[in-house]
Amino acid sequence: MNNSKSKNERAYHLIVWGASGFTGRLVAEYLLGQYGVGGELRWAMAGRNQAKLETVREGLGEGSGAVPILLADSHDPDSLDALVSQTRVVCSTVGPFAKHGSELVAACVRAGTDYCDITGEAQWIRRMIDAHEEQAQASGARIVNCCGFDSIPSDLGCLFLNQAMQNRHGTPCDSVNMRVRRMRGAASGGTFASMLNAVEEARSDPQTRRTLGNPYGLNPRGETSGPDGPDQSSPRWDADVNSWTAPFVMAAINTRVVRRSNALMDYAYGRDFRYSEAMMTGRGAGGWARAVSITAAMAGFLLASSVGPTRALLGKLLPDPGEGPSADDRERGFFDIVMVGKAGERTLRARVKADRDPGYGATCKMLGESAVCLALEGDRLDVAGGFWTPASAMGTRLIARLENSAGMSFELEPEKAGAA
Ligand SMILES: NC(=O)c1ccc[n+]([C@@H]2O[C@H](COP(=O)([O-])OP(=O)(O)OC[C@H]3O[C@@H](n4cnc5c(N)ncnc54)[C@H](OP(=O)(O)O)[C@@H]3O)[C@@H](O)[C@H]2O)c1
């Protein structure tokens, strides 16, 4: 068994795995700008291709020459064992995770190395929990999935709002409805590849369909039921935010993560706690029409990606792995989320915002800060080895980091605000 002392003696605080990819490069750039290298934070970039990593390193900015490069391959367990034993924490951007992530998680679990990633692939997380939870508890490895746009704003926003309700009114929320008020951003080739892979797995594997179809599909075994039904799948009017709403594509993972957090935190939000997500589309006929068109676009994408010929066509139209939104688009991007929490007659609203695009500009900071939190504050986190969520593992410490360094904010709104 590895204890935290031996972890603390390792050469690196953290390793960015997949630093040659679109998101991995942004994480490396963020860490270099924020923490330098080899000082307060000892970190390295890693991947499978030395030449590619060197090219990426050259483009990272001042001081980048000092960032060490390490090599391994996702499907070579010996190379992964050698990699993860050098560091306290691995943060991974190598996806689709269901295709390229399993051996890395197994290696971290063996070595007692903490791990965080930006997967949104619920079916894969379920497989990893079922395969490795016990061994992670024994080795001391803390595995924290979903440390990007899915699902940090939802998971930490829900924690923040529940704590506020508890502090003000002495009770957690009975329900929280998360509504995306505004958002600007686009997806990378790697993200589309992961979505297409999940659709493919759901088509061919009944267990995947069961996991994805269960609102509590990520909860601990024996606790996979509760009061929530399926995610919203059609346009709906929401009087609490005075807006039409449409299904939100990330709800499929975010809602599961929030419910798992509640279970892992001994039902701090209550056993009857309810949670939902949707996108606000505005009032009147225009708001309704937008909700209808988003619903139709999502259904169309799902259909096209599950049928052979259109799936092949999508593969040609979508960005390739390694491609993603431009620096300008990331700078101009943002998200603005409102969470409406209710406890009996009482209502509180929280606002979660970021000043960069959700998928990359903000995600690279969320993942970077999650990894730094595990690496530098790991001894002060009140969690042992096992599979955790961002809220249950790092909670308010991570909120503070994201507010201080990552351009994010978590705040309560005046009680009567919330119009579209
Ligand atoms: N949760 C969120 O909010 C969020 C946001 C953004 C992205 N994501 C997820 O993050 C993942 C990455 O997205 P991306 O756009 O950054 O993808 P990408 O640009 O295609 O990068 C993928 C990375 O994986 C590496 N890789 C692939 N196979 C490998 C192997 N066998 N061994 C070692 N490395 C290997 C690639 O290395 P090479 O460069 O050598 O090919 C590259 O570094 C996707 O799963 C995406 O869905 C999640």
Side-chain angles (χ1 to χ4, degrees):
M1 173 177 151
N2 292 274
N3 56 35
S4 59
K5 185 152 181 264
S6 65
K7 244 188 252 186
N8 290 348
E9 286 160 0
R10 295 181 183 182
Y12 300 109
H13 288 114
L14 71 91
I15 290 174
V16 181
W17 175 236
S20 58
F22 188 78
T23 319
R25 175 177 61 81
L26 296 175
V27 176
E29 199 172 82
Y30 173 71
L31 291 177
L32 185 64
Q34 196 70 20
Y35 297 98
V37 63
E40 123 186 65
L41 188 74
R42 300 187 307 276
W43 64 280
M45 44 198 283
R48 60 177 169 174
N49 183 326
Q50 175 89 27
K52 219 169 163 180
L53 287 162
E54 281 173 9
T55 307
V56 167
R57 182 171 66 178
E58 277 165 30
L60 289 183
E62 208 184 316
S64 63
V67 181
I69 287 178
L70 306 170
L71 291 180
D73 189 284
S74 291
H75 303 291
D76 174 356
D78 289 344
S79 73
L80 294 172
D81 284 338
L83 184 82
V84 307
S85 60
Q86 301 179 59
T87 183
R88 292 184 194 180
V89 179
V90 172
C91 81
S92 178
T93 62
V94 173
F97 288 83
K99 276 190 171 169
H100 304 306
S102 303
E103 286 95 336
L104 178 67
V105 170
C108 287
V109 166
R110 277 193 294 276
T113 300
D114 292 339
Y115 165 99
C116 55
D117 69 23
I118 47 170
T119 185
E121 298 161 53
Q123 82 286 4
W124 175 71
I125 299 171
R126 179 79 262 168
R127 289 202 291 271
M128 292 298 97
I129 295 171
D130 291 346
H132 301 298
E133 172 74 34
E134 274 177 30
Q135 201 188 346
Q137 288 173 3
S139 75
R142 293 172 291 194
I143 310 295
V144 191
N145 304 112
C146 302
C147 294
F149 182 56
D150 28 329
S151 302
I152 277 189
S154 305
D155 200 27
L156 294 185
C158 192
L159 176 73
F160 172 82
L161 187 54
N162 267 292
Q163 288 181 338
M165 186 68 91
Q166 186 74 49
N167 290 341
R168 285 200 178 184
H169 301 301
T171 175
C173 302
D174 304 328
S175 66
V176 170
N177 292 328
M178 177 277 218
R179 303 291 179 247
V180 181
R181 187 152 40 196
R182 281 187 294 271
M183 174 169 102
R184 183 192 280 179
S188 68
T191 293
F192 281 117
S194 300
M195 289 164 86
L196 291 176
N197 185 62
V199 172
E200 180 61 32
E201 283 194 48
R203 213 163 56 103
S204 57
D205 175 27
Q207 183 55 44
T208 294
R209 283 199 295 278
R210 272 195 292 278
T211 299
L212 297 179
N214 181 350
Y216 295 85
L218 290 183
N219 273 32
R221 287 287 174 211
E223 301 175 47
T224 53
S225 62
D228 277 324
D231 300 322
Q232 179 170 332
S233 59
S234 56
R236 273 188 215 160
W237 174 254
D238 184 340
D240 285 330
V241 291
N242 199 19
S243 173
W244 282 97
T245 62
F248 178 47
V249 65
M250 301 303 180
I253 180 68
N254 293 340
T255 57
R256 276 62 172 173
V257 170
V258 167
R259 292 177 194 127
R260 178 170 172 81
S261 287
N262 187 28
L264 292 179
M265 295 189 294
D266 290 330
Y267 294 93
Y269 313 154
R271 285 192 177 262
D272 295 327
F273 175 70
R274 304 188 65 146
Y275 182 76
S276 78
E277 297 200 345
M279 286 187 77
M280 291 164 63
T281 56
R283 283 170 256 176
W288 175 81
R290 277 188 290 279
V292 170
S293 64
I294 290 173
T295 305
M298 275 177 62
F301 179 82
L302 208 62
L303 190 67
S305 57
S306 55
V307 179
T310 42
R311 184 184 164 82
L313 183 64
L314 269 182
K316 289 197 182 118
L317 295 176
L318 297 173
D320 285 330
E323 295 175 359
S326 69
D328 265 5
D329 287 342
R330 295 196 304 272
E331 284 268 325
R332 283 199 301 264
F334 65 89
F335 64 80
D336 178 357
I337 283 169
V338 60
M339 302 188 111
V340 182
K342 295 193 175 182
E345 297 299 305
R346 297 184 167 107
T347 301
L348 278 186
R349 292 162 196 270
R351 184 179 202 182
V352 183
K353 284 194 306 177
D355 63 1
R356 291 286 185 280
D357 78 305
Y360 306 93
T363 282
C364 69
K365 299 180 186 182
M366 291 187 243
L367 180 63
E369 288 301 332
S370 301
V372 174
C373 187
L374 283 169
L376 298 186
E377 299 189 70
D379 291 343
R380 279 168 274 155
L381 298 175
D382 194 20
V383 285
F387 281 71
W388 299 96
T389 55
S392 60
M394 295 175 274
T396 49
R397 285 181 188 275
L398 185 53
I399 291 179
R401 284 191 164 276
L402 295 172
E403 290 198 309
N404 290 339
S405 317
M408 282 184 70
S409 61
F410 297 75
E411 57 197 26
L412 288 180
E413 291 202 323
E415 299 210 2
K416 287 202 170 169

